[in-house]
Amino acid sequence: MRYSRLFIPTLKEAPAEAEAISHKLMVRAGYVRQLAAGLYIYLPLGQRVMAKINQIIREEMNAIGGQEVTMPVLNPAEVWQQTGRWDAIGDEMFRLKDRGGRDMCMAMTHEETMTWLAAHDLRSYRELPQIWYQVQTKLRDEARPKSGVLRTREFTMKDSYSFDRDDEGLDKSYQLHLEAYKKIYSRCGIKFYVVQSDTGMMGGSMAHEYMAPSPAGEDEVALCDACGYAANVELALSVPKTPNFPDGKYEEVATPEKRTIDEVTRFLKLTPDLFIKSILVMSDEGPVLALVRGDQTLHEKKLAKLIGPHRPAQKDEVKAALGVPAGFIGPMAHKIRKIADPSLRDGVYVAGANKEGYHVKGVKAGREFEAEFADIHAAVAGDACVQCGKPLRIERVIEVGNIFKLGTKYSAPLKANYLDENGAERPIVMGSYGIGPARIAAAAVEQGNDENGIIWPLAIAPYQVMVLPVNVNDGASMDAAEELYAALEEKGFEVLIDDRDERAGIKFKDADLIGIPWRVIIGEKNLKEGVVELKDRKTGVVAKVKVANAVEEIARKLVMEA
RNA sequence: CGGGGCGUGGCGCAGCCCGGUAGCGCGUCUGCUUUGGGAGCAGAAAGCCGGAGGUUCAAAUCCUCUCGCCCCGACCA
């Protein structure tokens, strides 16, 4: 392709609203433009990157027997009502009515329609298993679109659905996807972790997420380098370091006006890990007292898994439920449900005395209070791994994919059944597996960039090589450039030739920004000596190669890397 | 949905507090010079100052409402 004909609107400055590196660079380098909050236009270069990612995804999905289908983006309300999600999902679903006044919605995912199809056209165990996938636009009215292409309201998603006879079959389909996904991200050239994840509102029994490390990410994972334990912090288990407990004598201490852990620790000159933090929350079933260690943070998602949706109690609710002003609550002698983090099981702690202006020392689980124990603290760096005891690392990540075992959550309500060998009707056992191609692109930019611009992995770069004649008005340079360009295209490489009559500086800056992995620079002086320069975008290393060997040399580099 | 910030030529910004009818840098166009890391000089085009209402002789500037965008949080199937 000729640069002079390609629409690549590069910018010297990043738009004011861009924050994430990938956002700034993708806009500056002319890959995308924003139409409105969470709505992006993919320009020619961006389009090529997406096409390449989607191609890799398709190849790997086809390799495990996936079959591509196309689903309607516009859905009737009925299927969503049958699974209960029409009501369960709130403002995040775009809803509308057709001219006949029928309720419709824009599909934000396709469990319903895929299962509808299975319900209608899968009849016999002989037809199972099946893996169907789609690479399509989905719409979600995100509460807060952000970080460029990372969280948008309209986005392409590859998702596949597996249909099996039983759990054993699902295991196999799940395993196929688990491996296929690893290949996809590896081929796309991004760093990623596979972590245990919450099944969330998708339902189901097992789930993993594929996480690409990046500070622009919205999630955090806990990782153990020693044994490989990896989990989303939403469910990561960890064992905090055990403090040295002072002697366990139970005594009341006056702590006037000292309410927060911070105030009390300073007042009593003790470290926060010797305290019990008592947090009252209001659940659908009434107030619940959550207990974590003073140096830890309650993880609301972990707690939600135990008690359902909840919110922190107001000051007057604390007083009403416990008869104690907030700031002096202790775990002793309340009749309400109490959930304590396991780190409180042993040891002797300081806690609120359930009496205004007082705390108590020497509080022991099983002696001063009883509670259900469950890991409800947020894992932090340095906590011990539950599997091997080595310290955990916490890293910020972009979720680039997820896989779920759905079981019969959707097949049961939509009556997606099959007949087994004995003629008995059974629900199809399903799995669902998603990938966000735009997030792969963004993650690649987040992971591959320098002060000059993007550094694409070869496999998803919009072009593999850029041929850059420094002076297009020099006949010899242009002849050599055109010849190289034609020869490389002939070999099947994707080549961009910068045939613009621009100053060298501009061409170099644009080339760096756009991030094509390899660059051949044709300069007048070098050409007179019969050489051109071959520059690696990533390392910046420049190699002079003989014109006669250039094509072969470039081909060698490209093939070597691929 | 809660908290904060910002809307001024295509892009990045100043002007607003202390009203007087808009300016800088980059980009764009023309000409000459230049030509290996975002050139120099000369000239030019381009802005209902997000929108509506109000105050005033006069509003980018003050007041009210509204729309949009970004950030933090909540949410994220």
Side-chain angles (χ1 to χ4, degrees), chain A residues 396-410:
Chain A
R396 191 154 269 275
V397 292
I398 296 167
E399 181 187 347
V400 288
N402 54 40
I403 56 178
F404 291 92
K405 285 189 179 177
L406 295 176
T408 58
K409 181 178 163 94
Y410 297 92

Side-chain angles (χ1 to χ4, degrees), chain A residues 251-263:
Chain A
E251 59 175 331
E252 213 166 67
V253 286
T255 52
E257 295 305 314
K258 307 294 185 237
R259 292 163 193 278
T260 65
I261 293 283
D262 190 47
E263 286 164 355

Side-chain angles (χ1 to χ4, degrees), chain A residues 481-500:
Chain A
E482 292 286 359
E483 217 168 291
L484 251 176
Y485 172 59
L488 287 166
E489 288 237 303
E490 177 67 25
K491 287 211 167 222
F493 296 117
E494 295 159 317
V495 194
L496 180 61
I497 179 168
D498 191 350
D499 57 338
R500 296 176 302 166

